Amino acid sequence: MKKAFDNEKPDNSELEKSIAHIIVEIIEYVPNSVVIKTIMKKSTGNISVMSFDSGEGLTEKTSPFETFAQIIEGKAEIVIDKKSSVLESGQGIIIPAHLPNYIKPNGRFKMILTTIKSGYEEV
């Protein structure tokens, strides 16, 4: 399992505006990697799409912001504060601010992460 954001290939260019995109097709799997493509990045939050090759995940991290994770292909196990949830394509979960969380490898999958940075999170 990879460390959070270690050996990942980020693409920080936003998607072209005012045209339709098939999100699951804008990112490919790369062997032994986690790939990240920025959909939108603003000071108030960002939206990214990620692909995880088989056996790849993210180690435990804690964020000061709430994040919505939605699986768009395959399935993944997301552990939030030691509570495990297995999500399949089309399912999503809110990861609360300030709680430890990680993604366990469970085959290849793609997901969208939406992070909201309001600046008024409770500790």
Side-chain angles (χ1 to χ4, degrees):
M1 185 162 41
K2 298 283 185 213
K3 293 180 183 176
F5 305 104
D6 187 36
N7 282 336
E8 296 163 5
K9 298 175 170 53
D11 179 351
N12 293 323
S13 59
E14 290 188 9
L15 288 184
E16 187 176 346
K17 293 177 170 72
S18 301
I19 66 166
H21 298 277
I22 300 172
I23 301 303
V24 75
E25 294 179 0
I26 66 169
I27 195 165
E28 299 297 325
Y29 294 106
V30 174
N32 305 309
S33 296
V34 175
V35 181
I36 303 169
K37 170 126 181 91
T38 301
I39 294 175
M40 207 165 53
K41 186 175 182 107
K42 305 292 178 202
S43 61
T44 54
N46 55 49
I47 303 169
S48 301
V49 63
M50 304 172 77
S51 70
F52 294 77
D53 194 26
S54 287
E56 301 301 321
L58 298 177
T59 56
E60 188 172 282
K61 64 180 177 53
T62 302
S63 172
F65 308 112
E66 288 190 330
T67 301
F68 178 69
Q70 180 182 12
I71 305 302
I72 57 172
E73 183 175 273
K75 69 179 182 178
E77 182 177 2
I78 299 177
V79 181
I80 303 169
D81 200 25
K82 299 181 183 174
K83 182 180 177 198
S84 174
S85 297
V86 176
L87 280 66
E88 295 186 15
S89 191
Q91 293 182 309
I93 192 167
I94 296 171
I95 302 170
H98 308 291
L99 288 182
N101 63 87
Y102 62 95
I103 299 170
K104 289 179 75 172
N106 197 352
R108 296 170 98 182
F109 68 96
K110 294 179 182 178
M111 66 189 283
I112 295 174
L113 284 182
T114 304
T115 302
I116 305 298
K117 300 177 181 179
S118 73
Y120 298 100
E121 286 72 29
E122 296 178 18
V123 178

